[in-house]
Amino acid sequence: MEKNKYKPWRSIPDDIRFEDLPTCPLAISDKGSIGNTGEWRTFRPVINKEKCTKCMTCWTYCPEGVIYEDNDELFIDYTYCKGCLICYSECPVNAIEKVREEI
Amino acid sequence: MSKILKPKDIPEEEFILSGTRACSGCGLSLAYRFALKALGKNTIITVPASCSTVLHGMYPCAAVNLPMLNTAFESTGASASGIRAALNILGKKDITVLAWAGDGGTTDIGIQSLSGAAERGTDIIYACYDNEAYMNTGTQRSGSTPFGAYTTTTPSGKKQRRKNMPKIMAAHGIPYVATANAVYPIDLFQKFRRAKDEFKGDTRYIHIFSPCPPGWGFEPQDLIKIGKLGTETGIWDLYEIINGKFTLNNITMKIVQGKIKRKPVVDYFRAQKRFNTLSNNAIRRIQEEIDKKFQEYENSFA
Ligand SMILES: Cc1ncc(C[n+]2csc(CCOP(=O)(O)OP(=O)(O)O)c2C)c(N)n1
Ligand code: SF4
Ligand code: SF4
Ligand code: SF4
Ligand SMILES: [Mg+2]
């Protein structure tokens, strides 16, 4: 690794020495700062696209900001969705189901 | 308040990058998400030790896509004042300085540095997200923990009243003080926008009710219900104090105008484990106090 050049932790090789880290403790922002929080889930929220009216209630209330719209359709980023099920309990037309995660 | 916005009017850009350390179903995360959307990318944040520090992540990785300074627990007001002074010297007056602190960091240990900043009229927005205890260290009581709530340092329920922090800040004579609730994110967004756009140049203070599933004892999926009950029962009122003038808004105003029926406080208390030791008698007394408060609101606003 180039001396004093910042690299996110996931790409810092094991043999890096403390002295090689930058002198000013500046962190760089990225998704997954604690890893793939999708692994926290017990239940997975699944949007039924047929029932969904795109009212954006779930988008508004999701504390993680993992619900997004693409091409007029709603998606959930399961890599980071923590499975809190707020979207499931707040959807006004019950268009979100909860499905148990399996290993 | 101006026209109520819809989700479609809220900017799509997320400043909190998903995969943070905050618990599942965290009220603070929801409030922070909308506060940052309202302030936009021309913002520098300072945060004292709290759950927000945890959310922001650990060096060398960060979860929020804006410049942020970790500061000591007691010094948020001083830290924000320093950032403002440096920006002014550099001629960068248009950058918003946001101080984002918990209730412990605001109502207890940080109150003097905040009071100093407000007395100087420092050009900052100070937001206190109130999860009503020291959550990051495992739920100890703060000056903002309500009467009757269990914490690890009040095992049979807190015996004292809480501080009324927004009123303390209003007494500093600053031009903008508002309360918000994490589960009314659009109302919260509008308040941050208003603080940023209409009162730039002076100290602005926003106090946010932020339900916390592990600390309060409810399921993450009930976050919105618990938060709404807080306002619908009259425990947490939504208001603004603009240049000294007090106005109610949103649900609280609708209750006072008779458009929505106020719910009994017992609904709020019995939905959370932290109030398990609160007796029915105490709940009755609290209900009487809330009824009296709303009678006064009705005399002034209905
Ligand atoms: C001077 C000092 N005392 C104690 C601590 C330990 N500490 C870190 S965070 C925290 C609690 C913060 O509570 P609050 O401000 O309500 O924020 P929350 O964790 O609830 O988000 C404490 C006691 C510290 N960091 N510094
Ligand atoms: S809350 Fe329900 S109906 Fe509304 S956008 Fe989400 S899934 Fe669709
Ligand atoms: S379960 Fe929670 S984190 Fe996942 S999409 Fe729904 S609201 Fe967001
Ligand atoms: S303890 Fe409470 S406030 Fe802190 S991260 Fe967890 S849910 Fe959020
Ligand atoms: Mg707290």
Side-chain angles (χ1 to χ4, degrees):
Chain A
M1 183 177 161
E2 214 180 301
K3 235 188 167 174
N4 286 342
K5 180 124 190 272
Y6 174 81
K7 290 265 166 66
W9 64 271
R10 275 167 300 178
S11 53
I12 297 177
D14 291 342
D15 58 352
I16 197 84
R17 291 170 311 145
F18 186 70
E19 299 84 79
D20 294 332
L21 291 169
T23 31
C24 172
L26 260 187
I28 288 207
S29 45
D30 199 356
K31 280 192 178 182
S33 54
I34 182 70
N36 299 343
T37 47
E39 292 167 5
W40 298 7
R41 277 195 309 272
T42 311
F43 290 99
R44 164 186 292 244
V46 178
I47 302 176
N48 179 335
K49 313 248 154 132
E50 240 105 86
K51 277 201 202 165
C52 172
T53 60
K54 298 189 201 82
C55 66
M56 305 304 273
T57 303
C58 54
W59 176 88
T60 308
Y61 288 139
C62 173
E64 306 306 321
V66 294
I67 302 180
Y68 60 96
E69 201 181 1
D70 192 20
N71 256 332
D72 217 27
E73 238 188 277
L74 277 195
F75 296 92
I76 297 175
D77 180 353
Y78 291 119
T79 311
Y80 301 116
C81 158
K82 291 174 181 168
C84 65
L85 298 181
I86 290 174
C87 52
Y88 159 83
S89 33
E90 294 305 319
C91 173
V93 297
N94 294 324
I96 302 184
E97 284 164 50
K98 61 171 189 179
V99 180
R100 186 175 275 278
E101 292 286 356
E102 282 168 20
I103 333 169
Chain B
M1 239 186 145
S2 44
K3 180 179 150 279
I4 303 287
L5 300 176
K6 295 261 172 342
K8 297 265 183 206
D9 304 321
I10 306 291
E12 258 181 60
E13 189 175 0
E14 301 287 351
F15 292 100
I16 305 182
L17 305 177
S18 38
T20 72
R21 281 159 208 256
C23 312
S24 175
C26 168
L28 134 70
S29 300
L30 179 56
Y32 204 20
R33 191 178 151 225
F34 277 79
L36 296 183
K37 279 176 184 285
L39 300 182
K41 70 173 188 292
N42 221 5
T43 304
I44 296 182
I45 315 164
T46 179
V47 174
S50 60
C51 282
S52 298
T53 321
V54 178
L55 180 152
H56 267 265
M58 200 163 72
Y59 174 75
C61 225
V64 178
N65 206 4
L66 286 172
M68 175 274 205
L69 179 75
N70 275 304
T71 192
F73 201 16
E74 62 280 18
S75 51
T76 320
S79 166
S81 302
I83 296 172
R84 180 81 269 162
L87 289 173
N88 288 354
I89 287 169
L90 293 170
K92 296 180 176 173
K93 297 214 168 157
D94 60 322
I95 295 179
T96 306
V97 177
L98 170 69
W100 181 266
D103 51 301
T106 303
T107 69
D108 297 337
I109 196 169
I111 195 169
Q112 60 85 11
S113 66
L114 166 59
S115 176
E119 189 267 335
R120 295 188 297 273
T122 313
D123 177 10
I124 57 170
I125 298 176
Y126 188 109
C128 168
Y129 65 91
D130 193 347
N131 48 25
E132 302 188 336
Y134 292 66
M135 292 310 179
N136 175 37
T137 41
T139 322
Q140 293 81 27
R141 106 201 243 295
S142 81
S144 202
T145 301
F147 174 83
Y150 164 90
T151 64
T152 53
T153 47
T154 54
S156 55
K158 188 180 166 183
K159 302 275 184 285
Q160 298 83 12
R161 290 177 298 265
R162 73 190 296 175
K163 280 186 200 180
N164 191 333
M165 194 63 199
K167 292 283 171 71
I168 294 173
M169 291 313 293
H172 286 71
I174 57 176
Y176 190 72
V177 173
T179 59
N181 181 335
V183 311
Y184 297 116
I186 295 182
D187 174 77
L188 181 145
F189 175 94
Q190 286 183 293
K191 285 170 175 167
F192 275 84
R193 267 285 159 88
R194 173 167 259 190
K196 175 184 174 226
D197 295 340
E198 295 176 33
F199 300 96
K200 166 118 191 88
D202 208 326
T203 309
R204 292 140 284 169
Y205 181 81
I206 302 179
H207 200 108
I208 309 160
F209 181 71
S210 299
C212 160
W216 294 16
F218 64 85
E219 289 302 315
Q221 72 175 61
D222 294 332
L223 178 85
I224 310 299
K225 276 181 212 96
I226 298 288
K228 284 188 175 171
L229 275 174
T231 299
E232 290 166 348
T233 56
I235 300 258
W236 188 260
D237 301 335
L238 297 174
Y239 61 79
E240 290 175 299
I241 303 173
I242 298 176
N243 295 319
K245 192 167 180 295
F246 181 93
T247 41
L248 296 173
N249 23 66
N250 203 303
I251 304 292
T252 310
M253 190 55 153
K254 286 188 185 149
I255 293 173
V256 170
Q257 291 169 337
K259 292 181 188 158
I260 298 180
K261 200 169 155 11
R262 183 156 50 89
K263 294 187 177 163
V265 290
V266 64
D267 293 4
Y268 175 74
F269 291 128
R270 290 298 177 237
Q272 304 166 58
K273 290 206 187 87
R274 66 174 172 154
F275 290 113
N276 276 358
T277 56
L278 195 61
S279 69
N280 289 337
N281 265 341
I283 293 180
R284 233 169 281 132
R285 263 200 325 275
I286 296 170
Q287 184 66 64
E288 281 166 21
E289 282 167 25
I290 302 267
D291 291 348
K292 202 164 138 236
K293 177 177 75 177
F294 270 79
Q295 193 55 54
E296 282 162 20
Y297 284 164
E298 275 165 33
N299 295 344
S300 331
F301 297 101

